[in-house]
Amino acid sequence: MDKKIIQELIDRYVSVSFEVNKKAESLIKSQIEEDITIDQHYIIRYIQNSTECTSSELAEAFEVNKSAITAIINRLADRGVIERTRDENDRRVVYLTLSEKGKEMSRKTQEKVHLLVESLITQFDETEITNFINTYEKLALILTNMKKEEMGE
Amino acid sequence: MDKKIIQELIDRYVSVSFEVNKKAESLIKSQIEEDITIDQHYIIRYIQNSTECTSSELAEAFEVNKSAITAIINRLADRGVIERTRDENDRRVVYLTLSEKGKEMSRKTQEKVHLLVESLITQFDETEITNFINTYEKLALILTNMKKEEMGE
DNA sequence: GGTGAATAGTTTAACAGTTTAACTATTATT
DNA sequence: AATAATAGTTAAACTGTTAAACTATTCACC
């Protein structure tokens, strides 16, 4: 690829990813706001989609320290959204699950987020958006490998 | 588009955008960390690319309240990274500029971020990454229009 | 030209999320 | 049995955020 073209692509990518992130996050916030934050929403979503979720798993997925997860989980547990249960075989491990209240909360916000994303996606034709998501997924893979290399060093 | 395909695309989009955001942010953080946060980095970047930057402009671009901007600017001004100058014609307005120290800081972190993004982008062929960014920019436009509609209501 | 509304920015209090370091409790290693 | 490693928590310190009240200035318009 030409040096100049690469430079232009870099600038465009940095700008557009910043802009989309900010705008999307702000729209999601305006949709879900029924007393939970965006991070709490993502934590709840993750727990629901995971079979046996632990703090360590969340810390890895969210790329933060475990103590940051403890803080978020504490707030949600205090409000009865999340429940903790110890593993009987390995008593160091604590499994995180959604309470009935948490599940209901998750269902509601998930629905709103889906409607929002649907209204975005359906403005493209199928080929374009499919290609976009395919490339996006490749990018995720590249980033994962980069991360692994970084750890290896 | 088929209902089922849309559902699948939504799920894939939500998952992949979350994953890429977290990973990219974490990589950027590991690159720039010379005493500034990611948000500070973005603020510095914005000021550098803007001709006459104000707090209100930043608040709009970052989709946060003006007082959040004040807090960030205070920290950077205390450290001599950013300077404030009042507009002589409209004394309510405060322009934000980078000090020499700020410019140097910006140059360094910009370079690192560029190298990082370059190493991502060059793993795709030109057509694929160009198409990707084109669609991404369309998405940004759609989000901007959505935001406007939301305001209009 | 003076008054009330609008605008730009700041302050304060309260809270969410984050890191680092030290800690408890448990399990694995040797 | 002694030492390492692992899972999770706690505490202190910090950044970023909102909401509401505030200062200072400019605009609108009668």
Side-chain angles (χ1 to χ4, degrees):
Chain A
M1 259 193 274
D2 181 42
K3 203 90 180 149
K4 205 160 182 179
I5 290 178
I6 291 178
Q7 276 306 309
E8 194 204 310
L9 289 174
I10 293 173
D11 286 332
R12 285 170 67 196
Y13 178 77
V14 171
S15 293
V16 78
S17 63
F18 171 79
E19 195 183 337
V20 168
N21 280 354
K22 287 292 173 194
K23 295 233 160 70
E25 194 156 292
S26 158
L27 273 171
I28 290 177
K29 209 185 288 176
S30 75
Q31 289 294 312
I32 65 175
E33 199 95 28
E34 55 177 60
D35 244 15
I36 61 170
T37 66
I38 283 211
D39 293 277
Q40 288 170 355
H41 159 69
Y42 279 121
I43 292 281
I44 289 171
R45 177 174 179 273
Y46 192 99
I47 292 176
Q48 201 188 33
N49 293 341
S50 167
T51 48
E52 281 199 321
C53 188
T54 64
S55 284
S56 300
E57 190 184 340
L58 284 171
E60 200 172 337
F62 285 71
E63 312 244 8
V64 295
N65 287 358
K66 283 189 289 185
S67 54
I69 300 296
T70 300
I72 298 177
I73 298 298
N74 278 344
R75 285 181 207 110
L76 290 171
D78 286 349
R79 291 169 51 193
V81 177
I82 283 179
E83 283 159 5
R84 291 191 238 232
T85 49
R86 282 217 116 82
D87 183 326
E88 283 306 317
N89 297 332
D90 185 343
R91 297 195 49 72
R92 290 171 301 184
V93 178
V94 175
Y95 296 116
L96 304 169
T97 52
L98 298 184
S99 67
E100 277 312 312
K101 185 177 169 188
K103 281 179 195 156
E104 176 60 13
M105 197 178 250
S106 174
R107 201 190 53 68
K108 267 196 215 156
T109 59
Q110 222 67 262
E111 194 184 324
K112 286 182 190 165
V113 171
H114 264 233
L115 281 175
L116 177 65
V117 176
E118 183 172 0
S119 73
L120 292 178
I121 281 181
T122 51
Q123 300 203 32
F124 296 90
D125 69 61
E126 193 177 321
T127 316
E128 180 171 8
I129 194 67
T130 304
N131 285 338
F132 177 75
I133 293 177
N134 284 340
T135 302
Y136 215 169
E137 285 173 344
K138 278 192 208 170
L139 186 55
L141 214 61
I142 290 171
L143 286 167
T144 304
N145 291 335
M146 244 180 203
K147 191 84 194 173
K148 273 186 204 153
E149 276 172 35
E150 204 186 42
M151 300 302 234
E153 274 155 26
Chain B
M1 258 193 276
D2 181 43
K3 202 89 179 148
K4 205 160 183 177
I5 292 179
I6 292 179
Q7 277 305 311
E8 194 204 310
L9 289 174
I10 293 174
D11 286 333
R12 285 171 66 196
Y13 177 77
V14 171
S15 294
V16 78
S17 63
F18 171 78
E19 195 183 337
V20 168
N21 280 354
K22 288 292 174 194
K23 295 232 158 71
E25 195 157 290
S26 158
L27 274 171
I28 290 177
K29 210 186 285 176
S30 74
Q31 289 295 310
I32 65 175
E33 201 95 28
E34 56 178 59
D35 244 16
I36 61 170
T37 66
I38 283 211
D39 292 277
Q40 288 170 356
H41 158 69
Y42 279 121
I43 292 280
I44 289 171
R45 176 174 180 273
Y46 192 99
I47 291 175
Q48 202 189 32
N49 294 340
S50 166
T51 49
E52 281 199 320
C53 188
T54 64
S55 284
S56 300
E57 191 183 339
L58 285 171
E60 200 172 336
F62 285 71
E63 311 241 9
V64 295
N65 286 359
K66 284 189 290 184
S67 55
I69 301 295
T70 300
I72 298 177
I73 298 298
N74 278 344
R75 286 181 207 111
L76 290 172
D78 286 349
R79 290 169 50 193
V81 177
I82 283 179
E83 282 159 7
R84 291 190 238 231
T85 49
R86 283 216 115 82
D87 183 328
E88 283 306 314
N89 296 332
D90 184 344
R91 297 195 49 74
R92 291 171 302 184
V93 178
V94 175
Y95 295 118
L96 304 169
T97 52
L98 298 183
S99 67
E100 277 312 312
K101 185 177 168 189
K103 282 178 194 155
E104 176 60 14
M105 198 178 248
S106 174
R107 201 190 53 68
K108 267 195 215 156
T109 58
Q110 223 66 262
E111 194 183 323
K112 286 181 190 164
V113 171
H114 264 234
L115 281 175
L116 177 64
V117 177
E118 183 172 359
S119 74
L120 293 178
I121 281 181
T122 51
Q123 301 204 29
F124 296 90
D125 69 61
E126 194 177 321
T127 316
E128 180 171 8
I129 195 66
T130 304
N131 285 339
F132 176 75
I133 294 177
N134 284 339
T135 303
Y136 215 170
E137 285 173 343
K138 278 193 210 171
L139 186 56
L141 214 62
I142 290 170
L143 287 167
T144 305
N145 291 334
M146 245 181 200
K147 192 84 195 174
K148 273 187 202 151
E149 277 172 36
E150 205 186 40
M151 300 302 234
E153 274 156 27

